[in-house]
Amino acid sequence: MMDALGAAEWAAIWLSLRVAIVATICALPIAIAIAYLLARKEFPGWQLLNGLVHLPLVLPPVVTGYLLLVVFGRQGAVGAFLYDVFGITLAFRWTGAALAAAIMAFPLMVRAIRLAIEAVDPGLEDAAATLGASRWRIFGTLTLPLIAPGVLAGAVLGFAKALGEFGATITFVAAIPGQTQTIPSAIYGLLQVPGEEPAVLGLVIVSIILAMGALLLSEWLGRVMAQRVGR
Amino acid sequence: MLQVAIQKRLGDFELDVSFDAPAGVTAIFGRSGSGKTSLVNAVAGLLNPDDGRIVLGDQVLFDAGAGTRRAPQQRRVGYVFQDARLFPHMSVERNLRYGGDHDAERVIEVLGLGDLLARRPAGLSGGEKQRVALGRALMSDPQILLLDEPLAALDAPRKAEILPYIERLRDTVQVPMLYVSHDVSEVARLATTLVILDAGSVVASGPVGEVLSRPAAVPLLGVRDAGAVIVTKVAGRLLDDGLTELVFSGGRIMLPGILGTLGQTVRLRIPAQDVILSRAAPKGISALNVLPVTITALEQGRGPGVAVGLKAGDDALLARVTRRSASRMELAVGQQVFAIIKATAVGPEDVG
């Protein structure tokens, strides 16, 4: 089977992994912060923030990709700023693919983490506050360890989503082999060409292995953490 | 000394309380929903009052007028919650040391926590959890201890297991305590000062013996639970009969069982409904305790009962008789009568 995978396919696999890992790692802290805000705070604009976070889940991915292009493209408001000040280009680069994957995975991560935060008794945080612990210490020693299984679940869900992202990615960064061509766009591309079924099958099997591996890893980590948390 | 004078609107409920808690144990008593927990939360800084002041010693914890609003972290309160709130992912020892390790060895010894240190909260009994919560609060070196019905979730044997620990704290640790409870016998046993809350307001407050012996407090405490508290001294033991003789300013009381040591002070709660009144000195009755008393007050309740305030020496007692008896006996303020207390009516939970 591995013979069926050429250099272009392997490049797509490594790129997909890199994109999904970078997207997950970068989005996770922000997702935790937003989930905490949504779960624990009341503020004007709560509904708006909640809606914005969930938008990528309900919008057609192509629309999200197009909006990314408008905002983060070289001519876009943020894109022009990033290029002029830092010399960073996102559109049609793998970093852009990571951004698209992160944004698409974001709502799933926030949802999973928010559920975990809502399951933590705020009374425990109150108790820690009366014992003199600062907000940060409370978060680090209480909230974070207690929500760790939920954060992990969110990360795995986000990783899987990032790995499979297609619509927004292809709209924002196209499918340049070796640059922005991830597994899904490679499969799609191969399907347009007759006689490439073995390569397609190879990529499909790799996708299944990656997804199953992530799930099993998270199951195991989740059990270990749950034990440590004493639940 | 803790001084509280605050107002807080919570939906339809209005908390408007004002009281002073001197050194010792101040019990906050009231039915559920009377605002006890909100009050304690305000002292801890977990609830922000709309108006008023909270002063602990020489420190202003809260002052709406001056805009002072200390965070819970800066109040140094030791809060023992009804549900313990131990951190589930930490060992007992890490829980205990979370807020500091002030006087750690003694706290662990006094509360008997030595054998629990390596365990997880999930494996502890209700009583053990509350002991750990108490230890955790103490080790944070608090300036005041807030105990919100720490025994409410426990059954009678567990309560009996923890009460002595709290009594030892009261007598050995020089930290004022605010003790929320809706159990009169607990209050009578532990408290030095009593504040009774009803529907968000203070309806009675003062030294516990004085408040509990007010006839007007009977409906607030519940007719079954009302009763005066007197402080007595062990004067003798009748070993053959298995009785202990106690003296107080109003005379002698004999109780079944051997209590304390000679000369020791014993706090006694005498339930109002177990005190019988007689116009003449009774003869030929089985009750051992007959005390000459003077009627100081008669308070009509809503039901068929009358609460009768009595003076025995310098102490106050409380009796509850039916309205019918009161009128048939022509009870009146200033009258000399006899109070008959059945020795077995004073339960061991009322002796402390």
Side-chain angles (χ1 to χ4, degrees), chain B residues 14 19 45 91 103 105 109 115 145 227 267 282 284 332:
Chain B
E14 175 98 39
F19 67 92
S91 67
D103 217 1
E105 270 172 47
E109 200 238 289
D115 296 336
L145 261 184
R267 236 194 234 231

Side-chain angles (χ1 to χ4, degrees), chain A residues 37-52:
Chain A
L37 270 180
L38 289 176
R40 283 290 152 82
K41 306 284 174 195
E42 280 173 46
F43 50 91
W46 188 96
Q47 289 287 356
L48 184 70
L49 181 65
N50 192 39
L52 269 178

Side-chain angles (χ1 to χ4, degrees), chain B residues 2-10 13-21 26-30 33-43 47-55 62 178 180 194-205:
Chain B
L2 173 76
Q3 293 163 289
V4 178
I6 50 165
Q7 279 135 48
K8 173 78 180 176
R9 176 156 274 287
L10 294 156
F13 181 78
E14 175 98 39
L15 183 71
D16 185 350
V17 292
S18 172
F19 67 92
D20 289 351
T26 300
I28 310 288
F29 180 91
S34 57
K36 303 180 299 262
T37 300
S38 302
L39 166 60
V40 176
N41 280 342
V43 174
L47 179 83
N48 267 323
D50 300 327
D51 203 2
R53 267 166 71 85
I54 301 172
V55 181
F62 177 85
L178 223 51
V180 173
L194 174 58
V195 176
I196 303 181
L197 284 189
D198 190 35
S201 308
V202 175
V203 287
S205 70

Side-chain angles (χ1 to χ4, degrees), chain B residues 44-73:
Chain B
L46 300 176
L47 179 83
N48 267 323
D50 300 327
D51 203 2
R53 267 166 71 85
I54 301 172
V55 181
L56 177 60
D58 53 359
Q59 294 175 58
V60 179
L61 302 185
F62 177 85
D63 188 338
T68 309
R69 198 165 285 202
R70 269 207 213 179
Q73 284 91 342

